[in-house]
Amino acid sequence: MSYAAYKMMHWPTAIENCAAGYITHSPADFPLPIIPPSTLSDSDWLSTTTNTSASAIGPVPNLVVSAGNVLEVYVVRVQEGSEASDGKRGGVMGGVSGVALELVCHYRLHGNVESLVILSASGSGGRSRKRDSVILAFRDAKISVLEYDDSIHALRASSMHCFEGPDWFYLKRGRESFPIGPLVKTDPQGRCGGVLVYDLQMVILKTVQVGYGLVGDEESFSSGASVSARVDSSYIINLRDLDIKHAKDFIFVHGYIEPVLVVLHERELTWAGRISWKHHTCAVSALSINTTMKQHPIIWSAGNLPHDAYKLLAVPAPIGGVLVICANSIHYHSQSSSYALALNNFAVSGDSSLEMPRSSFDVELDAAHATWLANDVAMLSTKTGELLLLTIYFDGRVVQRLDLAKSKASVLASGITTLGNSLFFLASRLGDSLLVQFTSGSTSSSSTLKEEVGDIESDIPSSKRLRRSSSEVLMDMASDELSFYGSTPNKSDLMQKSFSYTVRDSLTNVGPLKDFSYGKRINANPNAIGIAKQSNYELVSCSGHGKNGALCVLQQSFRPEMITEVELPGCKGIWTVYHKSSRSHNSDASKMAIEDDEYHAYLIISLESRTMVLETADLLGEVTESVDYYVQGSTIAAGNLFGRRRVIQVFARGARILDGSFMTQDVSFGAPNIESGTASESLTVSSVSIVDPYVLLRMSDGSIQLLVGDPSTCTVATSTPKGFESSKKPVSACTLYLDKGPDPWLHKASTDAWLSTGIGEAIDGTDGTLHDQSDVYCIVCAENGTLEIFDVPSFNCVFSLDNFISGKPYLVDTFVKEPKEDVHRVSNGSSEPGGQGRKQNLQNMKVVELAMQRWSGKHSRPFLFAVLTDGFVLCYHAYLFEAQEITKNEQSVSGRDSFSLNQANTSRLRNLRFIRTPFDMHTREETSGASTYPRMSVFNNVGGHQGLFLSGSLPTWFMVFRERLRVHPQICDGSIVAFTVLHNVNCNHGFIYVTSEGFLKICQLPSGLIYDNHWPVQKVPLKCTPHQVTCFADKNLYPIIVSFPVLKPLSQILSPPVDQEGGHQFENSNLSADELQRTYIVDEFEVRILEPEKSGGPWHTRATIPMQSSENALTVRMISLFNTTTKENETLLAIGTAYVQGEDIAGRGRVLLYALGRSDNSQNLVQEVFSKELKGAISALASLQGHLLIASGPKIILHNWTGTELNGVAFFDTPPLHVVSLNIVKNFILLGDVHKSIYFLNWKEQGAQLSLLAKDFGSLDCYATEFLIDGSTLSLVVSDEQKNVQIFYYAPKMSESWKGQKLLSRAEFHVGAHVTKFLRLQMLAASSDRTNTAAGADKTNRYALLFSTLDGSIGCIAPLDELTFRRLQSLQKKLVDVVAHVGGLNPRSFRQFRSNGRAHRPGPDSIVDCELLCHYEMLPLEEQLEIAHQIGTTRPQILSNLNDLAFGTSFL
């Protein structure tokens, strides 16, 4: 393996940064709240425009989150009142029944977001028309400012600032590594921003000030465009010049005329060992920033703050000032006053004479996050996940006291932000992030102390009981401190705000993935072969921490739960239809509910030469003989008409309308007009689209016909739409789109919405209830690639577009002039006449199938799908953008979005636009143009989910969540020829599909899975921290190491282990008896053996193996040992542990061997067969050719197994400090050390010796290691704490390897996340018909590495042959320049090896980055052909390489 590809398969989900701002809308876009008189009393502390009443949740900003290198913008949808509270999370609270997050846009950036902040445009001034921008900072000193652009429905960079490279070397002052990345903060009024880079360089970003002239402010809004906050210029302040030495944090404060920046810094550094001499080393300094003069005088400062101060919080107006948060105390400082609050016994005041006021309970605030719920109440989230409320009592601008109260327990947060006036978002790296609604009342302060500390979610974890008991103990100790308040109660003291919460929405997170194991699914199919066999497996991973700890069961492709299966060869299509003889017209709401739950009546199965009809009652019974359906030939389509009162069945030469089983009308498609004469004899129907009351038919000659239904008589009449009389413009695909609902979406897209409202009622005539304002549109794609949308039945063209098949990033109506400055056209090479071959390639591309659907949801927007002849799926999401018309003040509106007025047809949908949505298709297939049967089936309720199913050789589910497509392949049955939904007694909201082997399967979606994730996932909560998992495949058991906190008295913690004699008195001599009884929290470890019950079901603990006191389990592995007495192989569970007892006691550990499931009864599932104590921690175990290899401390010892005893055979012990991973292939050993990089050893049976072959001489902090096998080539892969991956090889004949002592670098790559585990899996051989090259024998013996990271992402590193690598590498170099990268980031610099200042010799660049290559398919077709031509290859060749890679690495 000389070359490799890096490919992400599951993107990061662990959210690190979150912020709230008006990105996609301005505060003024919300309706003004009506304040009812009843709430005025307690709303006076809120801002004037908003309050907590039902009618006014107030303007809600967007939520911006980042996880690793993923950036997402959400809009918060609030559902008011008790309307349709159908099981929404959280019930009704504050007049709101549901709040949901809806995705606006998401990006995978070429860089990890270090810090994210909103640049506010409005300042604090209420209902501004302006929008905010997002500022992102990347290592080392890159800053991108992004704003939302309505016309492209996306974020685009408004400015970029980079302080790297030779011109800025002086800023580093000779240093290479910096402990904290760039930190961004902005002025609350949006006048400037600050970025702290290189420890002490403050970059000031000066914003554009709009509206300071006499005119201008109104001008910019009259054009209707929204103005976002922008950065004008930047300059640097060197904090050293202000005598600030070690900056820790900074913030802009409220209430000053000029922006004021407060910096928290440490004057002299100290550390834990010097606290008794040097404490209180921190200080705050406030600088007044004058951006025009570039002056920054210090206006006030305060010193004597504790050394563990780490965070500043700006107190909102009218109080102003800052809160300094320390581990053991909270300090308030402003220009005029200061105040401190001690949180526990460790807090001491700066001048020890004064006693500090104490909080009523003990808490530690290191690693807390905070936000403001009101202008005097801050919410803090602690490291244990508790939410605390900090109330500031003030008089004028003087703070009288701070008060801390417990609120609820919640997820362990990595960030917290307030959204509007009654929502906050808890971002989390360790658990699911939560969107919480709060309302506030006020209670007297005495009752809040006794308030139950419950969990914010309904379930109560075991760790909570521990938390409550600890706080009760602490309350007794703090009772004498309580006399501070309560002795002289004043008015403000009695009124303390209490808050109630309800969780409204959550974002799934599977990170941090510490370890995973690859196991068989319970419903695996033992007979599967090829790619279908891959979906027999799943990843069981340890994720989360503490009470958010969980096992995540991840599956890339899911297996449906089968109810029954029947053999049915030769099936071409299946449909289910409804039938009720009498329809009652009751109110819409109840009608919708009934329709959703109505059972299907008939199942129609089309075979090659006949049609079967089955009843879908309790049992599927065939009724083909007794019904009037057309059963002599195959059916093209079937569906319901006239509000489900009739069924229409379309076959090749006609159609039938049926009421139940009786035919009421028979239509045949002969010659519609006489001129065509004989030609029409062979005219047959090739595709059908049914939308009540229309049926659209596409004929075999490319013409279309429309059947129009009359609801009063329940009959249909054939008509040929105008413009389609003859086959002048052959149609390659067409579909009908129903814009349903009381508020049709496409109405908003036409400029004269009031004109087009008449269409809906014009049709129905007698029966007005069926169409509540629903419009029907027909989407047609011609053979030449033109896409047109017509309204039905009048067939006026409302939207048209040339060259749809090229897959442009945006679709705009041809009558709207394109914006002149189109950022996204990069190469104009496509206009020049290219080679004939490329032209040819475009000729035979056409759209074979279309679908447009808007799924239910108040704010949902339609999706448009198209399948091309080469199997490629184009997907577009519609959005509205009101382009400006040319008016008389043409100069002011730079007529760029103007219309050509000559043909501005009145009812055109000129505000309709489509944006291409990227999704990662598993792989694609070629389709023959002759395939007449549709592949796309829309479903509205399958197991409560909605979306679209794409059948074919690689069946795929597209599910819609939060206006986002989630793509989940289903590969377990191979190719699927037909699909339909089924809802009856035995199959609740299930589905039926027919495989190409001829089996009809009736299934349901697996219930326990979460589908709103990159892969379907099941989370099994453990309520404790999982560390390592392994799989015992024979019995499907998963041994897993977990740890949980336990309270213990000091005497137990300090007591030495039993076998160390003496010294007991010596340790505890200086501690008094009551000090020995104080309790502390320590982690206890155990190994649990879990077994999944059924697929998607609960997991059960079958056995637990507890560890001794202060013994940590470090590793658990299933190993196979050769028993030298019985001469047989045994599979045992091996556990390696270490005693953690401080630095005074020599490290020791134990090796434990257990037999699993020897006896059948489940009581003694686990039997201990051996345990032995060794020197040093046992950090890694592996079995090597029947021997047991143990890494104990700095030694590696090989043992053989007699059945009762382990005997050492060989050892190796020079260099390693602490082995973090051991990997074995044949008799080769790869070990990774915590500091000393990797060692490559081998074991010789004769002479029984372990010998070092080679090592890497650099220093590297390894995280994970593994062998990579490509044919006969062996490579060594290692990941490190700088988020890199390196590939080494052993080449003793090369002169650079110092006679074979040194491992040589084969490739290096920056992943951007900590890789915690590699797993070697055999790649699937790509099907031989795709690879025309002579496949060598080494193609079969190819292994890729699947890896997991701490960000919750999963990816793989796969070997490539040289030809493919060269082709993809030259494509990658092209794409760096061609693709418009979000935020202006450069993928090449992101993927460069980071050495953090250590000497490192750059290795070869032998890994291609599929994260960049996946942009190729998203380019317009002409550009794809152009680029392929420029690098000397063809588009099919590139796509086939990418396909083979995706196919070979689809492991799950």
Side-chain angles (χ1 to χ4, degrees):
M1 197 257 14
S2 306
Y3 307 101
Y6 159 87
K7 183 172 160 45
M8 276 316 243
M9 300 156 97
H10 182 291
W11 285 269
T13 56
I15 297 180
E16 286 152 14
N17 302 298
C18 62
Y22 294 96
I23 309 295
T24 62
H25 51 261
S26 62
D29 297 345
F30 284 86
L32 271 163
I34 311 103
I35 300 183
S38 61
T39 56
L40 279 173
S41 55
D42 62 306
S43 66
D44 51 359
W45 52 275
L46 280 161
S47 63
T48 49
T49 54
T50 60
N51 68 56
T52 50
S53 76
S55 61
I57 198 163
V60 182
N62 293 89
L63 173 69
V64 186
V65 298
S66 79
N69 64 334
V70 175
L71 177 73
E72 295 180 331
V73 180
Y74 290 93
V75 60
V76 181
R77 297 289 188 202
V78 177
Q79 195 176 14
E80 300 215 338
S82 52
E83 45 162 314
S85 56
D86 44 355
K88 285 267 186 349
R89 266 177 98 160
V92 178
M93 170 178 187
V96 172
S97 62
V99 184
L101 293 172
E102 179 186 299
L103 188 79
V104 179
C105 48
H106 74 123
Y107 301 102
R108 307 208 285 264
L109 309 174
H110 299 291
N112 286 2
V113 179
E114 294 288 328
S115 155
L116 173 156
V117 77
I118 300 293
L119 178 61
S120 151
S122 53
S124 50
R127 307 186 70 79
S128 156
R129 301 253 353 166
K130 289 197 296 194
R131 294 184 182 172
D132 306 342
S133 295
V134 185
I135 304 185
L136 306 175
F138 304 92
R139 243 179 227 289
D140 279 317
K142 297 186 197 72
I143 301 137
S144 289
V145 186
L146 304 177
E147 65 183 31
Y148 181 76
D149 182 348
D150 280 316
S151 66
I152 58 172
H153 198 75
L155 293 177
R156 65 151 179 232
S158 64
S159 65
M160 289 156 23
H161 312 266
C162 181
F163 298 93
E164 296 175 16
D167 299 348
W168 303 100
F169 272 161
Y170 70 92
L171 295 178
K172 294 187 176 187
R173 298 182 63 99
R175 289 185 58 184
E176 280 298 322
S177 88
F178 300 94
I180 49 173
L183 185 65
V184 193
K185 298 282 168 75
T186 53
D187 176 46
Q189 273 148 22
R191 295 166 294 192
C192 69
V195 190
L196 185 64
V197 295
Y198 301 134
D199 275 358
L200 282 175
Q201 307 292 339
M202 179 70 69
V203 179
I204 299 290
L205 305 173
K206 182 185 172 191
T207 56
V208 183
Q209 298 291 335
V210 184
Y212 279 137
L214 293 172
V215 289
D217 209 9
E218 285 310 308
E219 281 288 307
S220 58
F221 300 127
S222 61
S223 67
S226 224
V227 181
S228 299
R230 294 195 179 169
V231 173
D232 178 24
S233 58
S234 60
Y235 65 95
I236 292 182
I237 302 174
N238 186 348
L239 296 181
R240 278 189 187 78
D241 304 344
L242 302 169
D243 204 28
I244 293 177
K245 292 199 186 69
H246 308 280
K248 290 179 143 193
D249 194 17
F250 73 99
I251 201 147
F252 288 89
V253 291
H254 296 257
Y256 285 88
I257 295 168
E258 280 195 324
V260 169
L261 175 74
V262 177
V263 184
L264 171 68
H265 55 103
E266 200 163 1
R267 294 196 166 138
E268 307 171 63
L269 294 178
T270 183
W271 65 288
R274 278 194 58 84
I275 295 300
S276 47
W277 292 277
K278 202 195 267 187
H279 42 85
H280 290 80
T281 51
C282 288
V284 288
S285 304
L287 326 176
S288 174
I289 307 287
N290 183 335
T291 49
T292 44
M293 312 270 294
K294 300 193 177 177
Q295 290 177 343
H296 36 268
I298 292 188
I299 52 174
W300 57 268
S301 62
N304 244 357
L305 290 166
H307 72 283
D308 51 18
Y310 66 97
K311 196 186 199 80
L312 293 175
L313 205 56
V315 184
I319 311 172
V322 290
L323 284 175
V324 185
I325 299 178
C326 315
N328 307 311
S329 55
I330 298 178
H331 300 257
Y332 170 81
H333 280 284
S334 71
Q335 203 159 351
S336 50
S337 67
S338 66
Y339 186 84
L341 178 70
L343 304 173
N344 54 37
N345 292 348
F346 300 113
V348 278
S349 68
D351 38 359
S352 45
S353 56
L354 289 170
E355 185 66 41
M356 279 168 87
R358 279 285 299 273
S359 70
S360 55
F361 56 94
D362 277 25
V363 65
E364 292 167 9
L365 274 191
D366 49 335
H369 295 275
T371 188
W372 293 93
L373 299 188
N375 59 359
D376 57 350
V377 180
M379 171 177 276
L380 298 158
S381 161
T382 69
K383 61 182 176 185
T384 57
E386 284 181 277
L387 297 180
L388 308 177
L389 292 177
L390 178 71
T391 313
I392 300 180
Y393 292 100
F394 63 99
D395 185 9
R397 291 191 78 164
V398 178
V399 169
Q400 292 168 333
R401 68 184 185 82
L402 304 174
D403 183 35
L404 197 63
K406 289 195 176 193
S407 188
K408 282 271 196 246
S410 177
V411 65
L412 303 175
S414 62
I416 175 171
T417 182
T418 314
L419 294 157
N421 61 357
S422 50
L423 295 163
F424 63 85
F425 180 75
L426 284 163
S428 174
R429 262 186 73 85
L430 304 172
D432 293 353
S433 303
L434 305 178
L435 177 70
V436 185
Q437 185 188 350
F438 65 90
T439 54
S440 69
S442 53
T443 56
S444 69
S445 58
S446 57
S447 65
T448 50
L449 285 177
K450 301 186 190 66
E451 189 188 334
E452 183 97 348
V453 184
D455 201 299
I456 203 160
E457 294 273 26
S458 52
D459 51 353
I460 295 178
S462 56
S463 58
K464 186 185 116 183
R465 292 195 285 278
L466 166 144
R467 207 169 33 238
R468 186 168 313 129
S469 54
S470 68
S471 59
E472 279 158 13
V473 175
L474 302 173
M475 265 192 192
D476 302 337
M477 288 168 34
S479 56
D480 54 340
E481 249 83 27
L482 284 179
S483 56
F484 265 121
Y485 2 115
S487 52
T488 55
N490 54 18
K491 187 171 75 70
S492 71
D493 192 67
L494 291 169
M495 297 297 284
Q496 181 178 16
K497 299 196 181 64
S498 72
F499 288 85
S500 47
Y501 310 98
T502 174
V503 175
R504 287 301 191 183
D505 202 352
S506 61
L507 298 179
T508 307
N509 167 23
V510 299
L513 298 171
K514 299 179 195 166
D515 186 34
F516 66 85
S517 149
Y518 186 70
K520 261 209 160 81
R521 304 188 193 176
I522 297 182
N523 55 0
N525 172 15
N527 308 324
I529 49 162
I531 191 166
K533 188 177 177 185
Q534 301 296 326
S535 77
N536 282 344
Y537 297 96
E538 60 192 4
L539 285 189
V540 177
S541 61
C542 298
S543 77
H545 180 85
K547 61 180 184 183
N548 298 131
L551 273 189
C552 285
V553 185
L554 289 143
Q555 313 175 347
Q556 192 175 1
S557 62
F558 61 82
R559 303 182 72 91
E561 288 178 1
M562 196 166 68
I563 297 174
T564 173
E565 98 177 296
V566 203
E567 192 162 358
L568 186 75
C571 175
K572 293 290 186 215
I574 47 178
W575 299 269
T576 43
V577 290
Y578 299 98
H579 172 250
K580 276 232 183 82
S581 46
S582 61
R583 291 276 168 184
S584 55
H585 299 311
N586 40 14
S587 71
D588 286 350
S590 60
K591 197 183 88 203
M592 288 301 286
I594 293 168
E595 279 196 6
D596 199 37
D597 253 4
E598 185 183 333
Y599 287 158
H600 287 101
Y602 292 103
L603 168 65
I604 299 162
I605 302 176
S606 168
L607 305 173
E608 279 171 19
S609 57
R610 63 190 187 95
T611 295
M612 287 168 64
V613 183
L614 283 77
E615 263 184 335
T616 57
D618 301 353
L619 301 165
L620 289 179
E622 187 170 347
V623 290
T624 313
E625 303 305 317
S626 60
V627 291
D628 288 346
Y629 283 86
Y630 171 79
V631 295
Q632 292 79 27
S634 62
T635 302
I636 308 282
N640 284 93
L641 286 183
F642 313 122
R644 297 186 181 173
R645 284 178 298 171
R646 296 284 186 276
V647 175
I648 180 160
Q649 178 199 17
V650 182
F651 43 96
R653 296 186 184 277
R656 289 188 181 182
I657 306 280
L658 298 106
D659 182 353
S661 56
F662 305 108
M663 178 165 75
T664 58
Q665 190 187 1
D666 196 350
V667 186
S668 67
F669 311 126
N673 39 9
I674 297 94
E675 299 91 274
S676 46
T678 54
S680 69
E681 292 308 312
S682 60
L683 200 62
T684 55
V685 180
S686 59
S687 75
V688 183
S689 171
I690 303 174
V691 160
D692 189 8
Y694 303 104
V695 181
L696 182 71
L697 312 169
R698 183 173 76 82
M699 302 312 226
S700 49
D701 66 344
S703 63
I704 61 176
Q705 293 193 14
L706 183 71
L707 302 184
V708 182
D710 177 357
S712 53
T713 60
C714 291
T715 54
V716 295
T718 314
S719 72
T720 306
K722 60 177 188 201
F724 293 93
E725 283 85 2
S726 66
S727 46
K728 287 196 295 284
K729 289 194 300 186
V731 172
S732 70
C734 57
T735 183
L736 290 177
Y737 164 63
L738 170 69
D739 204 10
K740 61 173 180 291
D743 178 20
W745 191 85
L746 280 178
H747 267 178
K748 309 170 193 161
S750 66
T751 36
D752 45 349
W754 54 274
L755 266 175
S756 51
T757 46
I759 300 175
E761 297 93 321
I763 313 157
D764 16 306
T766 57
D767 194 351
T769 50
L770 290 182
H771 304 268
D772 38 12
Q773 280 287 305
S774 298
D775 300 346
V776 179
Y777 294 90
C778 168
I779 297 106
V780 173
C781 197
E783 298 256 339
N784 60 8
T786 314
L787 179 88
E788 291 174 301
I789 301 180
F790 299 92
D791 59 6
V792 178
S794 56
F795 265 81
N796 295 325
C797 180
V798 291
F799 184 92
S800 64
L801 172 91
D802 294 333
N803 198 6
F804 170 67
I805 50 171
S806 81
K808 299 192 201 58
Y810 299 96
L811 304 183
V812 184
D813 190 7
T814 36
F815 290 121
V816 179
K817 261 200 201 142
E818 280 290 302
K820 281 203 195 77
E821 76 280 342
D822 194 355
V823 215
H824 295 269
R825 294 256 71 57
V826 188
S827 66
N828 45 9
S830 49
S831 57
E832 67 194 43
Q836 201 53 43
R838 277 179 283 159
K839 279 260 171 59
Q840 195 56 46
N841 210 331
L842 278 172
Q843 300 299 291
N844 50 28
M845 281 285 270
K846 57 175 197 261
V847 174
V848 290
E849 192 180 351
L850 279 171
M852 184 162 165
Q853 176 74 11
R854 174 173 160 239
W855 282 278
S856 63
K858 193 173 171 189
H859 300 278
S860 63
R861 311 194 309 276
F863 283 94
L864 174 67
F865 295 89
V867 183
L868 303 183
T869 32
D870 65 348
F872 199 79
V873 181
L874 291 176
C875 168
Y876 285 93
H877 202 172
Y879 66 97
L880 297 177
F881 173 66
E882 295 189 24
Q884 303 304 309
E885 295 217 29
I886 295 187
T887 46
K888 53 184 183 297
N889 53 355
E890 194 169 314
Q891 292 74 26
S892 68
V893 189
S894 74
R896 67 184 177 108
D897 285 331
S898 55
F899 291 89
S900 43
L901 292 168
N902 54 4
Q903 202 187 349
N905 184 341
T906 46
S907 62
R908 281 193 86 87
L909 305 175
R910 24 176 109 112
N911 297 339
L912 174 67
R913 295 194 175 190
F914 291 90
I915 179 171
R916 177 125 179 236
T917 54
F919 54 81
D920 304 275
M921 270 294 274
H922 193 57
T923 37
R924 296 190 328 280
E925 58 172 315
E926 298 273 332
T927 55
S928 56
S931 113
T932 52
Y933 286 91
R935 293 178 48 208
M936 290 193 277
S937 325
V938 169
F939 57 88
N940 286 320
N941 187 347
V942 171
H945 301 297
Q946 47 188 15
L948 179 138
F949 181 82
L950 181 72
S951 53
S953 64
L954 286 158
T956 310
W957 294 79
F958 294 82
M959 295 188 183
V960 181
F961 296 94
R962 316 177 190 280
E963 287 298 281
R964 167 189 204 147
L965 277 183
R966 295 291 196 181
V967 181
H968 300 310
Q970 178 191 320
I971 54 178
C972 57
D973 292 296
S975 176
I976 286 181
V977 290
F979 171 93
T980 186
V981 292
L982 173 68
H983 179 45
N984 72 1
V985 183
N986 302 321
C987 175
N988 190 23
H989 292 301
F991 52 95
I992 306 180
Y993 60 88
V994 181
T995 66
S996 55
E997 271 87 61
F999 287 95
L1000 178 141
K1001 301 193 177 188
I1002 302 181
C1003 302
Q1004 281 176 306
L1005 279 188
S1007 52
L1009 295 178
I1010 301 166
Y1011 296 97
D1012 186 12
N1013 188 37
H1014 302 292
W1015 290 0
V1017 59
Q1018 177 197 357
K1019 287 191 88 164
V1020 183
L1022 295 172
K1023 303 280 193 246
C1024 51
T1025 307
H1027 294 279
Q1028 214 178 45
V1029 61
T1030 185
C1031 174
F1032 181 40
D1034 305 353
K1035 296 260 199 278
N1036 205 18
L1037 297 173
Y1038 289 89
I1040 173 171
I1041 298 177
V1042 297
S1043 69
F1044 43 89
V1046 180
L1047 273 178
K1048 286 201 166 174
L1050 188 59
S1051 54
Q1052 276 186 36
I1053 299 173
L1054 289 179
S1055 65
V1058 190
D1059 56 355
Q1060 275 192 316
E1061 61 285 337
H1064 188 87
Q1065 259 51 47
F1066 158 71
E1067 272 186 63
N1068 303 343
S1069 56
N1070 53 356
L1071 296 173
S1072 63
D1074 57 335
E1075 277 180 310
L1076 283 175
Q1077 287 314 306
R1078 293 202 13 208
T1079 53
Y1080 288 88
I1081 293 179
V1082 290
D1083 273 350
E1084 292 243 317
F1085 281 74
E1086 68 183 25
V1087 175
R1088 288 186 193 167
I1089 302 200
L1090 299 178
E1091 180 179 30
E1093 185 183 83
K1094 62 181 204 316
S1095 181
W1099 286 49
H1100 297 300
T1101 306
R1102 295 290 308 276
T1104 57
I1105 305 171
M1107 297 295 122
Q1108 295 175 4
S1109 167
S1110 70
E1111 180 183 31
N1112 289 12
L1114 297 182
T1115 180
V1116 58
R1117 287 285 173 257
M1118 293 303 306
I1119 52 169
S1120 164
L1121 296 184
F1122 179 71
N1123 187 331
T1124 51
T1125 21
T1126 63
K1127 303 283 187 254
E1128 304 180 330
N1129 282 331
E1130 295 181 18
T1131 303
L1132 299 173
L1133 171 71
I1135 303 172
T1137 73
Y1139 289 99
V1140 179
Q1141 291 162 316
E1143 52 194 23
D1144 304 327
I1145 299 173
R1148 294 166 314 119
R1150 286 196 305 161
V1151 176
L1152 306 167
L1153 296 181
Y1154 289 88
L1156 282 188
R1158 289 236 174 114
S1159 60
D1160 289 334
N1161 72 346
S1162 57
Q1163 283 346 91
N1164 48 2
L1165 176 78
V1166 176
Q1167 292 169 298
E1168 182 177 315
V1169 291
F1170 177 76
S1171 84
K1172 180 183 181 182
E1173 197 170 279
L1174 297 169
K1175 283 183 181 168
I1178 313 293
S1179 56
L1181 299 160
S1183 56
L1184 169 59
Q1185 297 183 339
H1187 299 7
L1188 178 62
L1189 187 63
I1190 296 175
S1192 72
K1195 264 199 182 66
I1196 310 167
I1197 312 170
L1198 191 66
H1199 297 78
N1200 66 9
W1201 171 240
T1202 64
T1204 52
E1205 198 61 43
L1206 281 177
N1207 298 325
V1209 193
F1211 71 93
F1212 171 78
D1213 74 336
T1214 33
L1217 305 170
H1218 177 86
V1219 176
V1220 288
S1221 69
L1222 271 180
N1223 307 98
I1224 287 171
V1225 163
K1226 294 185 175 167
N1227 60 338
F1228 294 109
I1229 303 163
L1230 166 64
L1231 70 92
D1233 186 78
V1234 71
H1235 282 311
K1236 296 282 180 195
S1237 197
I1238 57 173
Y1239 293 82
F1240 185 43
L1241 302 100
N1242 83 339
W1243 150 247
K1244 292 197 178 68
E1245 189 86 52
Q1246 68 271 31
Q1249 60 177 19
L1250 287 170
S1251 53
L1252 178 68
L1253 294 175
K1255 64 174 189 173
D1256 171 29
F1257 280 81
S1259 65
L1260 195 70
D1261 300 355
C1262 298
Y1263 264 51
T1265 57
E1266 185 54 275
F1267 288 105
L1268 186 56
I1269 299 173
D1270 180 16
S1272 55
T1273 323
L1274 188 67
S1275 308
L1276 294 73
V1277 182
V1278 55
S1279 68
D1280 61 48
E1281 48 77 53
Q1282 287 296 314
K1283 306 183 179 182
N1284 305 307
V1285 162
Q1286 274 172 284
I1287 303 181
F1288 291 97
Y1289 67 111
Y1290 174 57
K1293 297 194 173 72
M1294 305 266 287
S1295 57
E1296 305 94 275
S1297 72
W1298 304 347
K1299 296 186 179 166
Q1301 297 178 55
K1302 183 173 184 233
L1303 290 169
L1304 301 177
S1305 171
R1306 184 164 266 165
E1308 57 186 30
F1309 191 81
H1310 184 70
V1311 175
H1314 287 125
V1315 175
T1316 51
K1317 162 96 183 237
F1318 288 110
L1319 177 71
R1320 190 173 67 242
L1321 294 172
Q1322 185 157 7
M1323 289 177 73
L1324 287 174
S1327 49
S1328 52
D1329 56 335
R1330 275 197 227 153
T1331 49
N1332 312 332
T1333 54
D1338 58 343
K1339 282 278 174 76
T1340 54
N1341 190 25
R1342 265 205 163 163
Y1343 288 80
L1345 298 184
L1346 195 69
F1347 63 79
S1348 65
T1349 74
L1350 289 181
D1351 290 342
S1353 53
I1354 298 169
C1356 74
I1357 292 177
L1360 286 180
D1361 53 273
E1362 182 167 7
L1363 187 66
T1364 310
F1365 170 76
R1366 295 279 175 234
R1367 182 180 299 126
L1368 293 181
Q1369 190 186 37
S1370 43
L1371 172 64
Q1372 176 177 319
K1373 287 175 175 161
K1374 265 319 253 191
L1375 290 177
V1376 171
D1377 304 330
V1378 173
V1379 179
H1381 304 294
V1382 183
L1385 293 161
N1386 187 334
R1388 277 187 61 194
S1389 76
F1390 178 42
R1391 296 307 183 186
Q1392 221 111 54
F1393 186 89
R1394 310 272 164 100
S1395 62
N1396 200 22
R1398 291 180 180 163
H1400 174 78
R1401 200 170 151 206
D1405 180 21
S1406 306
I1407 298 190
V1408 290
D1409 177 14
C1410 291
E1411 281 291 88
L1412 179 56
L1413 295 176
C1414 69
H1415 287 284
Y1416 179 71
E1417 301 186 341
M1418 293 303 298
L1419 291 171
L1421 192 59
E1422 297 81 14
E1423 275 182 50
Q1424 292 186 30
L1425 297 168
E1426 178 66 31
I1427 289 171
H1429 178 68
Q1430 285 173 358
I1431 62 175
T1433 179
T1434 62
R1435 174 176 178 267
Q1437 183 68 62
I1438 292 173
L1439 293 180
S1440 132
N1441 285 156
L1442 293 173
N1443 245 2
D1444 287 352
L1445 185 63
F1447 181 84
T1449 57
S1450 50
F1451 295 121
L1452 296 158

